[in-house]
Amino acid sequence: MRHSRKAGMAMAALGLLTLLGGCDGAPAASQAANGSVDTRAVVRVSEVRSSAAEERLRFPGIVRPRDRVSPAFLHAGVLRERLVVRGQRVEEGEPLARLHNPALAPVLVGAEGRVRELDAHLARLGRNVERARALRERNLVAQEELDRLVSEREATAQAREQAVASRTEARAQVDEMTLRAPFAADVADLFMEPGDFVAAGVPVLALSGVDGVEVTIRVPVMLGARLDAGMEAQVSPALHEGRFPGHISSVGRADTTLVPVVVTLDSTSRLSPGESVQVHLSVPMAPSLQVPLSAVQDPGGHVPMCLSSPMTGPCNGFRWRRGGWGTTG
């Protein structure tokens, strides 16, 4: 019995020694294994691509008539008559409104009377000159008298020319009391009612031309420098399907930080003034390289990554590798 207990204790001691010997040998085995591990840095490679030949951009805009005008009278007066209503289609030269100015009509009457008076006086002087010339041939009148009549007739002729010019001006002023449509258009709005006093140059109504529409957009200055008149554009309405061709008709200058660009639509478009649209532009781009975002983004979000080149070497874990940029990991 005592012998068996001693034998068990001996076996337990032997197992403990074996376990301790195995623990002591583990670091040596780990160090031996590490001697064969590749300690070079791991690199993730991303492919670099050439940029597209053009960049597609989209800008919002509102369709408006190509021809727009707000007619006004050149003289002040009272609006005597308005001949159109809102939404009416008018043709070129059609009367729109009439003005009453009591000072203009008498001027025309006076100018016409002055021309008639000079016409009669000029006709009488012409007869006198012919009579004096006949008498001079028979030596019955002095040469000085004939010369005086000829000079008086020439002066009267010049005075008549001035009177005719004044009559033309007065007639034009009277004609301007009738406002006429400069082109075929729709009456978009009315600003004055009959009986209102209208100052010179104040719009009476608004006209929207029916010959084509356009869209004005505003783009950044750097983009405006890459746009030219004649470039193609596509316009799509915001509320229904369709895409209509157009072209850039003019590129303005920046007033603050944006450049106005006018896109003219083709005559085949079915867009109406006031519609919201999207203008699609294809802008040429200079050749460049495109790097994927994952290749230059710091996954940890602690240290911003910077680019390097084959000349400068790695920078914050970003290194050039043949075939693309890569991050060391």
Side-chain angles (χ1 to χ4, degrees):
M1 183 69 178
R2 185 175 301 176
H3 179 72
S4 298
R5 185 178 300 175
K6 290 182 178 181
M9 294 178 63
M11 293 296 293
L14 180 61
L16 180 60
L17 290 176
T18 302
L19 179 62
L20 291 177
C23 292
D24 292 339
S30 176
Q31 292 178 1
N34 288 339
S36 62
V37 174
D38 189 359
T39 59
R40 291 177 296 178
V42 178
V43 177
R44 297 193 306 272
V45 178
S46 298
E47 182 181 358
V48 176
R49 300 179 302 172
S50 297
S51 63
E54 59 183 15
E55 182 180 10
R56 298 184 181 273
L57 303 173
R58 184 178 61 182
F59 298 92
I62 302 295
V63 179
R64 67 180 188 182
R66 188 183 307 172
D67 299 322
R68 306 170 305 279
V69 68
S70 296
F73 292 104
L74 294 180
H75 303 279
V78 176
L79 187 62
R80 183 178 66 182
E81 186 179 11
R82 195 184 64 206
L83 305 175
V84 295
V85 296
R86 286 184 179 87
Q88 179 178 339
R89 175 69 57 87
V90 296
E91 300 299 330
E92 182 178 356
E94 184 174 342
L96 305 173
R98 291 190 175 95
L99 188 72
H100 173 67
N101 188 328
L104 297 180
V107 174
L108 176 59
V109 174
E112 291 177 343
R114 177 61 176 168
V115 172
R116 289 193 298 268
E117 177 186 358
L118 292 174
D119 285 340
H121 186 47
L122 189 60
R124 185 174 63 255
L125 286 175
R127 291 192 298 269
N128 292 339
V129 169
E130 294 300 328
R131 185 182 303 108
R133 184 173 289 115
L135 293 175
R136 178 58 187 164
E137 291 177 356
R138 292 183 292 174
N139 201 20
L140 296 178
V141 68
Q143 181 66 35
E144 290 78 5
E145 180 65 17
L146 176 60
D147 294 340
R148 184 187 66 79
L149 292 173
V150 172
S151 299
E152 185 177 356
R153 186 182 63 176
E154 293 177 354
T156 304
Q158 293 178 359
R160 182 187 181 280
E161 292 179 358
Q162 297 177 359
V164 170
S166 299
R167 183 186 63 180
T168 302
E169 181 181 0
R171 184 172 295 168
Q173 291 179 355
V174 171
D175 291 341
E176 288 167 358
M177 295 174 63
T178 300
L179 204 60
R180 299 183 181 275
F183 46 78
D186 293 328
V187 179
D189 201 358
L190 302 172
F191 307 137
M192 295 290 179
E193 297 294 333
D196 291 344
F197 176 80
V198 182
V202 175
V204 177
L205 46 84
L207 297 179
S208 298
V210 296
D211 186 17
V213 293
E214 63 184 17
V215 181
T216 298
I217 59 176
R218 294 187 174 272
V219 303
V221 177
M222 298 301 295
L223 177 59
R226 296 158 55 188
L227 300 178
D228 295 315
M231 293 179 60
E232 295 183 355
Q234 298 288 329
V235 179
S236 59
L239 301 180
H240 56 87
E241 297 293 333
R243 180 170 292 195
F244 304 98
H247 65 277
I248 296 177
S249 58
S250 63
V251 179
R253 298 177 63 91
D255 50 358
T256 53
T257 58
L258 299 177
V259 176
V261 178
V262 178
V263 178
T264 301
L265 295 174
D266 294 345
S267 57
T268 57
S269 65
R270 299 184 300 273
L271 297 175
S272 302
E275 285 194 59
S276 298
V277 295
Q278 295 287 335
V279 178
H280 304 264
L281 300 177
S282 296
V283 184
M285 295 183 59
S288 61
L289 295 179
Q290 292 182 340
V291 180
L293 181 61
S294 60
V296 295
Q297 187 178 22
D298 182 8
H302 301 291
V303 181
M305 304 183 67
C306 64
L307 298 178
S308 67
S309 67
M311 299 296 295
T312 59
C315 175
N316 288 348
F318 192 75
R319 177 176 301 175
W320 171 263
R321 288 289 184 267
R322 178 175 297 179
W325 295 93
T327 55
T328 60

